[in-house]
């Protein structure tokens, strides 16, 4: 392999002109980059075939500024065949990553985080339980937040006291978990410990972990909802 090539995943593509597409690429050891690719001429068919989601690619690009130019592309492995609920989860990983991972910031671990969780999804069948899907998604969300600098301290509350299993806590942005007597608006210490360990075997833990992750991601996503979430709605 040429040393100029790097492993990458395509997160999103959109038309830029009649012969060019704009790509959100998650690049190994780099992070998220915006790349302009020329889709015309002899290479058009090959590029279009390779530029598909869930394909581990080898890319060579150039450019010193924010926008990079895709010079060459190869398939590193065959595209992962995701179906049904697994496919929806894959779309969610891609959309969430493209939306919240900053472009052109050196976040070297993002590629490994994405690759790990995409592989976990691929290992699931479409008939897997909701618990198995949610374990992978919640794990990805909380680790993503941690690596972006928006992680949550699950061991101690806002006063620096250890989280107690039989106590209740309300999450306050910028502060953390504040102890409360109202169990109806708070998280039990037991639930927080299980979330911290990525133990989503309990229905209550899964439900509250989902609510907490959505709350934490909201400032990063802004007011525009994630389209991929609509795929999970009952039809």
């Amino acid at each position: 392999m040429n040393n100029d090539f790097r492993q990458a995943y395509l997160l999103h593509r959109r038309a830029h002109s009649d012969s060019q597409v704009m790509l959100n690429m998650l690049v190994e050891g780099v992070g998220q980059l915006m790349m302009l690719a020329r889709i015309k001429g002899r290479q058009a068919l090959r590029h279009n075939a390779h530029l598909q989601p869930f394909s581990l690619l080898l890319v060579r690009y150039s450019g010193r500024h924010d926008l990079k130019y895709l010079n060459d592309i190869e398939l590193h492995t065959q595209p992962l065949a995701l179906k049904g609920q697994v496919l929806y989860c894959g779309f969610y990983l891609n959309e969430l990553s493209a939306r919240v991972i900053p472009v052109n910031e050196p976040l070297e671990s993002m590629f490994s985080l994405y690759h790990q969780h995409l592989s976990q999804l691929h290992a699931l069948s479409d008939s897997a339980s909701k618990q198995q899907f949610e374990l992978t998604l919640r794990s990805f969300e909380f680790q993503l937040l941690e690596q972006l600098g928006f992680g949550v301290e699950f061991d101690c509350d806002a006063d620096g006291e250890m989280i107690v299993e039989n106590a209740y806590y309300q999450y306050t942005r910028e502060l953390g978990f504040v102890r409360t007597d109202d169990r109806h608006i708070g998280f039990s210490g037991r639930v927080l410990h299980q979330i911290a360990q990525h133990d989503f075997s309990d229905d209550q833990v899964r439900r509250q972990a989902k609510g907490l992750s959505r709350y934490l991601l909201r400032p990063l996503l802004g007011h525009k909802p994630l389209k991929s979430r609509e795929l999970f709605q009952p039809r």
Side-chain angles (χ1 to χ4, degrees):
M1 183 180 72
N2 189 307
N3 289 333
D4 289 339
F5 279 89
R6 287 184 180 270
Q7 294 186 99
Y9 280 104
L10 172 68
L11 299 178
H12 181 67
R13 63 177 281 177
R14 63 186 183 278
H16 182 71
S17 69
D18 290 343
S19 61
Q20 293 177 313
V21 290
M22 188 69 72
L23 311 171
N24 292 65
M25 302 289 285
L26 194 58
V27 182
E28 181 186 24
V30 178
Q32 182 173 194
L33 298 177
M34 298 295 294
M35 296 187 192
L36 196 60
R38 184 176 176 83
I39 308 293
K40 192 175 182 180
R42 292 180 300 173
Q43 300 296 325
L45 188 61
R46 185 171 71 91
H47 281 184
N48 268 321
H50 291 351
L51 287 172
Q52 300 297 327
F54 319 125
S55 299
L56 182 55
L57 305 170
L58 296 174
V59 298
R60 186 164 56 85
Y61 58 91
S62 60
R64 296 183 180 180
H65 304 292
D66 290 349
L67 181 61
K68 311 300 181 185
Y69 296 90
L70 183 66
N71 297 326
D72 201 0
I73 183 172
E74 297 177 6
L75 271 182
H76 190 43
T77 61
Q78 289 301 310
L80 300 181
L82 308 185
K83 299 179 181 179
Q85 291 291 316
V86 182
L87 178 62
Y88 298 163
C89 291
F91 285 149
Y92 176 73
L93 250 62
N94 280 8
E95 187 179 15
L96 181 62
S97 299
R99 289 275 299 275
V100 306
I101 299 175
V103 176
N104 295 314
E105 287 195 18
L107 296 166
E108 300 177 3
S109 58
M110 288 300 178
F111 177 89
S112 297
L113 179 68
Y114 174 90
H115 177 75
Q116 172 194 346
H117 287 82
L118 182 63
S119 300
Q120 288 177 11
L121 286 176
H122 182 239
L124 298 175
S125 68
D126 185 37
S127 60
S129 69
K130 183 180 179 181
Q131 174 186 331
Q132 291 174 293
F133 291 126
E134 293 202 351
L135 188 153
T136 300
L137 296 184
R138 299 294 89 76
S139 170
F140 180 73
E141 289 166 351
F142 282 111
Q143 290 188 59
L144 180 62
L145 285 162
E146 185 72 32
Q147 294 187 21
L148 290 172
F150 294 90
V152 174
E153 173 60 70
F154 286 103
D155 294 329
C156 299
D157 64 18
D159 295 320
E161 301 292 332
M162 296 296 292
I163 298 287
V164 180
E165 288 218 351
N166 59 359
Y168 284 82
Y169 302 85
Q170 184 177 6
Y171 186 78
T172 303
R173 209 179 292 281
E174 307 297 337
L175 291 178
F177 290 103
V178 178
R179 194 157 176 168
T180 178
D181 293 326
D182 189 347
R183 64 176 59 195
H184 299 292
I185 64 171
F187 301 85
S188 72
R190 177 190 66 84
V191 166
L192 295 180
H193 287 158
Q194 287 183 262
I195 294 176
Q197 296 165 11
H198 295 172
D199 178 2
F200 304 106
S201 55
D202 182 89
D203 287 343
Q204 182 187 16
V205 175
R206 289 199 303 276
R207 185 174 62 255
Q208 294 196 344
K210 184 176 183 177
L212 178 60
S213 67
R214 286 197 172 191
Y215 178 79
L216 294 170
L217 286 166
R218 195 172 300 147
L220 302 178
L221 291 169
H223 298 293
K224 184 180 177 182
L226 290 169
K227 293 182 179 179
S228 53
R229 282 180 178 164
E230 299 174 4
L231 298 172
F232 298 95
Q233 301 300 319
R235 296 171 185 256

